[in-house]
Amino acid sequence: SKDSGRNSFRFFNSSISHNMLEHISLISGMRRGLQEQQFSLHYQPKIDLQSHRICGFEALLRWNHPEQGYISPATFIPLAESSGLIIQLGEWVINEACRQARAWIDEGMPDFSIAINISSIQFKRGNIDTLVFNALTRNQLPPQYLELELTESLLIEDSERLANTLANLRSEGVHFSIDDFGTGYSNLGYLKKFEVEALKIDQSFVRKMDNHSGDAAIVRAIIQMASSLGLKTIAEGVEDASTAALLRGLGCTYAQGYYWARPMPVADAKHFWLTWIKD
Ligand code: C2E
Ligand code: CA
Ligand code: CA
Ligand code: CA
């Protein structure tokens, strides 16, 4: 009826504005949070499946909101992207990861790299190559300590500016890997064009490898293709020993997941690392 139509419209309308208010308050909260040091990086170790060494860490952003506690990046990254705040947030991540890498070198930790996630929006809008070079220089950090995780959707874009930025970074020795590989596109030409170093096999395939033969077949195919192109593979979302063993058997290069460790605050990550080295 006319009436219920109006009511449902009103309901729809008010739930939208409720959502918008919440979004606006989160966005201004992020702005304040950046000034008040509410953001931090947590570190998840990456294991070399053949040598069983820790070869590096993925840095994952965390927001410790003063009232709401830890808010997931899955919630705030999209808002940071739509509001443009991802530029400042991403800049903070680059600087913080480089600062931490320098600190670990100075503390005498063995060889490692820190992988950071770069939003496509940040890559397209910001002068990311300059940001990265400045952060490396300021921290006297050799570029091989840093790795950028990019998404397929970014690399299939046919833009000269993007190609130049990637080439600049690559020629200075910064490595890239493709995050969430397998979930996006089938045109793989960009892999050769941009000198990608590694493919990160999406956890949606890895987590079901054990009992879904279809997913195991996809993982096997990705590893074979990567190795024939001279690329490394990183499996993410490894939660048990049998998946780790399967991946090792298939020749996957690196892996990360709750089976070894969750992303940890920096002190815990270092403690985990030192214990790992001792064992
Ligand atoms: P991602 O880059 O694909 O990161 C992997 C996610 O899987 C992380 O979630 C990680 O904590 C989680 N994970 C790792 N091992 C396991 C496992 O064994 N099992 C399960 N169930 N999950 C596992 P997180 O930290 O919540 O991050 C979510 C997403 O937010 C990331 O997905 C990434 O797209 C984005 N993100 C995180 N930090 C940053 C950042 O600094 N910048 C940007 N632009 N995006 C970020
Ligand atoms: Ca990632
Ligand atoms: Ca991923
Ligand atoms: Ca993801």
Side-chain angles (χ1 to χ4, degrees), residues 238-262:
V238 177
E239 293 188 349
D240 52 52
S242 59
T243 305
L246 273 174
L247 287 163
R248 191 180 313 113
L250 291 175
C252 183
T253 326
Y254 308 119
Q256 53 187 98
Y258 295 173
Y259 171 56
W260 294 284
R262 287 173 180 258

Side-chain angles (χ1 to χ4, degrees), residues 1 157 192 217 230:
S1 76
E157 283 193 27
K192 289 201 93 156

